[in-house]
Amino acid sequence: MKSTTRFRQLIERPEVLPALGGYDALSATVAEQAGGEVVYMSGSSVSTSVHGGPDVGLTTMTEMVERARSMVEAVDVPVFCDADTGYGNPLNVARTVESYERAGVAGVHIEDQTFPKRCGHFEGTDVVPVEEMEQKLRAATDARTDDDFVVIARTDARATAGLDAAIERGYAYADAGADVLFVEALRSEAELRRVAETVGGEVPLLANMTEGGKTPLYAAEEFEAFGYDVVLYPATGFKAAAKALQDVYREILTTGTQEGVMDRLLSWSERNELTGLDAVTEREQRYATDDSDAA
């Protein structure tokens, strides 16, 4: 089954779909091995891992697509991705969709922020006119060659114009062809429920769970009860990895040894199992030659 078709089926099932956020091939592999049915490529996590700074629109489309391709090649489950603003006008959006689709991605979300964009939970975001975003969505759906490729419309209007404006944009984006709606940075259960009770009747809904952001933390089952279909956990893994690096590096520099953190590291065998060393060794042996027979 195509990954795009599988992704659509997972969105359409009655149970909410948790989407663990990754940022490279290894994090995607860990997410899949943990039981993730999909992997989400977090733009925020990729951005920070590429240039070491905040998510303020510094990462390019080609950097994002190349990272997506490596994640797709590492796992068997569908991978869907942050595509920021589409990296320009509707023609840029079309090229973005074409590039992600060729990389094997199952879907993308495109947002209505102005450029340069920034994390939707930062202060200082702004949005483009609704008509501009509608044209981007039409360009996105026209550009895909696989009708099952999922185009997710994200609106950041809640932060700039309020909940009513965000809902109005949701209706407009559904009419423009979006397969799923993502209303970013909702502030409460009441707001989440209102989106579900209104525009949720038009298209499936995606919610974002980012720790420390503007949306309170809710469990996946709660989102299902609210009426949502997909829940992102975009940067949880990245922040866990970064915290572990901080702690381990400080321990080594303070004590001169890693002995004090050995219980927090993968063992030698666990690392080899995670990276599939046995399978690689088997392939090496299949193509090995006996030097004694040479000549």
Side-chain angles (χ1 to χ4, degrees):
M1 181 185 298
K2 297 181 300 182
S3 65
T4 52
T5 306
R6 179 59 181 154
F7 185 34
R8 280 187 178 267
Q9 290 180 349
L10 289 168
I11 294 170
E12 293 168 358
R13 72 181 183 184
E15 299 82 17
V16 71
L17 174 63
L20 301 176
Y23 51 93
D24 62 8
L26 180 62
S27 59
T29 299
V30 173
E32 180 183 44
Q33 291 186 5
E37 296 179 277
V38 299
V39 175
Y40 168 63
M41 191 186 82
S42 161
S44 175
S45 298
V46 169
S47 176
T48 299
S49 73
V50 166
H51 57 72
D55 178 18
V56 291
L58 299 178
T59 318
T60 65
M61 184 269 281
T62 52
E63 288 172 322
M64 294 286 284
V65 171
E66 284 308 304
R67 188 64 65 88
R69 180 176 287 107
S70 71
M71 292 172 66
V72 168
E73 292 174 352
V75 297
D76 293 324
V77 297
V79 176
F80 71 107
C81 300
D82 187 346
D84 295 317
T85 63
Y87 309 100
N89 64 24
L91 293 182
N92 297 108
V93 170
R95 181 169 181 251
T96 295
V97 168
E98 292 164 356
S99 298
Y100 270 115
E101 192 176 17
R102 283 195 295 268
V105 167
V108 296
H109 68 72
I110 300 167
E111 65 202 56
D112 58 5
Q113 276 198 49
T114 55
F115 185 84
K117 61 88 60 186
R118 52 203 294 116
C119 170
H121 294 263
F122 288 174
E123 299 300 324
T125 59
D126 200 1
V127 293
V128 300
V130 63
E131 296 82 9
E132 181 176 334
M133 182 62 174
E134 289 173 323
Q135 292 303 321
K136 286 187 175 186
L137 291 171
R138 292 189 178 101
T141 56
D142 286 347
R144 61 187 173 190
T145 60
D146 179 353
D147 288 341
D148 280 346
F149 183 90
V150 178
V151 174
I152 303 164
R154 169 177 147 179
T155 179
D156 287 65
R158 167 63 185 88
T160 61
L163 183 60
D164 288 344
I167 290 172
E168 289 176 8
R169 283 179 177 247
Y171 283 118
Y173 299 166
D175 287 343
D179 300 304
V180 177
L181 178 65
F182 173 7
V183 182
E184 176 66 300
L186 294 173
R187 310 299 174 86
S188 65
E189 177 180 336
E191 292 193 358
L192 288 159
R193 287 187 179 276
R194 183 152 175 246
V195 169
E197 291 164 359
T198 53
V199 70
E202 302 294 318
V203 288
L205 295 177
L206 180 151
N208 188 18
M209 276 285 85
T210 186
E211 307 82 10
K214 297 182 183 300
T215 306
L217 295 183
Y218 298 102
E221 302 79 35
E222 293 177 286
F223 277 108
E224 185 176 313
F226 298 161
Y228 285 74
D229 303 278
V230 184
V231 182
L232 301 184
Y233 301 89
T236 310
F238 177 83
K239 288 185 281 190
K243 181 67 167 65
L245 288 172
Q246 286 180 334
D247 292 346
V248 168
Y249 290 167
R250 285 170 182 160
E251 175 73 15
I252 293 171
L253 293 176
T254 300
T255 68
T257 176
Q258 64 271 56
E259 289 290 343
V261 292
M262 290 297 291
D263 61 337
R264 301 177 60 183
L265 308 181
L266 290 175
S267 69
W268 185 265
S269 60
E270 287 171 334
R271 186 192 71 166
N272 293 340
E273 181 179 359
L274 173 64
T275 57
L277 178 61
D278 286 348
V280 173
T281 301
E282 182 182 342
R283 291 181 67 189
E284 286 179 331
Q285 293 172 345
R286 187 183 312 161
Y287 304 116
T289 59
D290 186 347
D291 290 342
S292 65
D293 293 335

